[in-house]
Amino acid sequence: MITFRTTMGDISIELDFDKAPISSANFLTYAKDNFYNDTVFHRVINGFMVQGGGMTSDMQQKKTNNPIENEADNGLKNDIGTLAMARTADPHSASSQFFINVSNNDFLNHSGKNMQGWGYAVFGKVSQGMDVIEKIKSVPTGSAFGHQDVPVDPIEITETIISDEYAAK
């Protein structure tokens, strides 16, 4: 388990190494490197998702490792409480950023290996702290530094705690 200590409370995540080995290993690498510390949930859309994992509180993007292969064809669905890789229009552009679904977002699921159908790779789920996600999804947002849907008051990841089981991987 990976636990993010945030300015709004703790969020614990279980990764699915069986169905999403590339995405899970990628996320764990960033977590072990303390990459997520001092990043913010920089995009919050109630009824959709909360996104984080790459921006500082002044909306500067942190330098990431190389992008990974999209694993959205793994059978996991973008349902409430699941963790998925954020990416650009390029299906294979995910690096450090992730989002937590706050609705069942079927339109984000894989439907074919083409530009419209790749979808967004689910690789884990929130195991504890959905109450924190519920609080985050409801915060006031606005525009900041050229970005939309940015929380007015930054929601920061202050610490990353990795369970012994995950630390050994």
Side-chain angles (χ1 to χ4, degrees):
M1 182 166 44
I2 295 171
T3 301
F4 288 140
R5 186 147 290 149
T6 79
T7 50
M8 291 191 78
D10 292 355
I11 303 163
S12 295
I13 296 161
E14 294 287 343
L15 304 178
D16 193 329
F17 285 94
D18 293 334
K19 291 189 176 174
I22 296 168
S23 301
S24 295
N26 175 70
F27 187 82
L28 181 58
T29 297
Y30 281 108
K32 284 181 174 180
D33 290 345
N34 288 315
F35 178 90
Y36 295 120
N37 294 0
D38 305 317
T39 63
V40 294
F41 285 93
H42 65 274
R43 188 169 172 232
V44 172
I45 304 173
N46 196 353
F48 180 36
M49 58 89 221
V50 301
Q51 182 174 339
M55 300 282 207
T56 61
S57 60
D58 59 356
M59 296 301 288
Q60 296 301 305
Q61 190 158 344
K62 291 180 77 170
K63 184 168 173 28
T64 63
N65 299 330
N66 290 330
I68 60 171
E69 182 182 337
N70 189 323
E71 294 180 294
D73 60 347
N74 62 18
L76 298 174
K77 304 293 183 207
N78 281 278
D79 291 337
I80 294 173
T82 58
L83 185 72
M85 292 304 301
R87 61 173 177 82
T88 66
D90 175 352
H92 305 289
S93 61
S95 58
S96 67
Q97 291 189 31
F98 60 89
F99 61 92
I100 297 166
N101 289 289
V102 298
S103 290
N104 291 330
N105 293 314
D106 294 340
F107 68 98
L108 297 179
N109 294 334
H110 176 80
S111 63
K113 292 188 178 183
N114 54 59
M115 286 305 281
Q116 291 75 36
W118 261 107
Y120 291 76
V122 173
F123 64 99
K125 67 180 189 294
V126 174
S127 57
Q128 295 171 3
M130 270 311 285
D131 59 323
V132 176
I133 299 299
E134 290 292 316
K135 287 192 285 189
I136 292 172
K137 78 176 188 181
S138 301
V139 301
T141 60
S143 299
F145 304 99
H147 296 271
Q148 306 300 311
D149 307 305
V150 179
V152 173
D153 296 315
I155 303 162
E156 196 169 339
I157 296 172
T158 58
E159 186 180 1
T160 304
I161 302 161
I162 301 170
S163 69
D164 291 344
E165 174 194 358
Y166 282 9
K169 288 187 183 278

